[in-house]
Amino acid sequence: EEAKQVLKEQRLRVAYQFGTMIEVPRAALVAERIAEAAEFFSFGTNDLTQTTFGISRDDAETGFLTEYLSKGILQRNPFATLDQSGVGTLMEMAVARGRKRRPQLDTGICGEHGGDPASIAFCHRIGLDYVSCSPFRVPIARLAAAQAALAGTAERDR
């Protein structure tokens, strides 16, 4: 209502959507309720990773994470490549629940995971509409998105 009022006062027309960041596990769990008002979900995967793992990225990457990786406790740095079994499950759940309420819900991620090929392939598989990342990662993100789309087409054609 506020946006409508301001646009009317200013005699402007601006296309916009009302949406939210999904950055904590509870938001993923109640995504159906959030989608009553939100037209898009943007997953803040760095924060969602921190809150899902219960660790600070700064503390982990300058401390124990290297040891976890070297000992095989974690296979990949979850801040570089999306943790599909934990964080990814929350994302997939949020997309399904959100689209149950709002079938045309736009979904995507923002952050460095948006420039990681394995993370982009996962995002494609769960039906996200977009990824965003820092400018220097755009070329690899575009290539990875194209590869994910082609792989999805090949799977459907089988």
Side-chain angles (χ1 to χ4, degrees):
E1 292 303 312
E2 187 67 24
K4 288 177 187 174
Q5 181 181 338
V6 169
L7 291 172
K8 184 178 178 181
E9 287 171 3
Q10 299 297 315
R11 296 185 180 134
L12 294 172
R13 294 186 112 180
V14 177
Y16 67 93
Q17 287 184 302
F18 181 79
T20 191
M21 297 288 293
I22 303 291
E23 297 182 303
V24 297
R26 188 171 192 287
L29 296 171
V30 298
E32 190 171 350
R33 286 184 31 216
I34 295 171
E36 290 174 11
E39 296 171 290
F40 70 85
F41 290 169
S42 184
F43 291 94
T45 54
N46 289 330
D47 286 337
L48 188 57
T49 297
Q50 287 187 111
T51 57
T52 300
F53 276 85
I55 59 175
S56 158
R57 180 179 187 172
D58 293 336
D59 293 343
E61 290 190 322
T62 60
F64 60 88
L65 188 57
T66 306
E67 189 171 340
Y68 280 22
L69 293 167
S70 70
K71 291 184 176 183
I73 296 168
L74 292 173
Q75 298 305 307
R76 295 182 173 151
N77 177 342
F79 297 106
T81 298
L82 196 61
D83 165 51
Q84 295 177 22
S85 62
V87 176
T89 297
L90 287 169
M91 291 170 61
E92 191 169 15
M93 180 188 316
V95 170
R97 290 179 179 190
R99 288 190 174 146
K100 181 178 178 185
R101 172 68 64 184
R102 185 182 296 271
Q104 299 305 315
L105 182 73
D106 286 328
T107 58
I109 66 168
C110 63
E112 293 309 300
H113 289 117
D116 172 62
S119 300
I120 291 169
F122 173 77
C123 291
H124 181 76
R125 282 195 307 277
I126 67 169
L128 296 192
D129 299 300
Y130 67 89
V131 298
S132 73
C133 59
S134 60
F136 75 92
R137 298 191 85 177
V138 169
I140 191 68
R142 291 182 73 189
L143 178 60
Q147 290 171 332
L150 289 171
T153 301
E155 284 181 26
R156 284 191 300 274
D157 289 345
R158 287 185 199 162

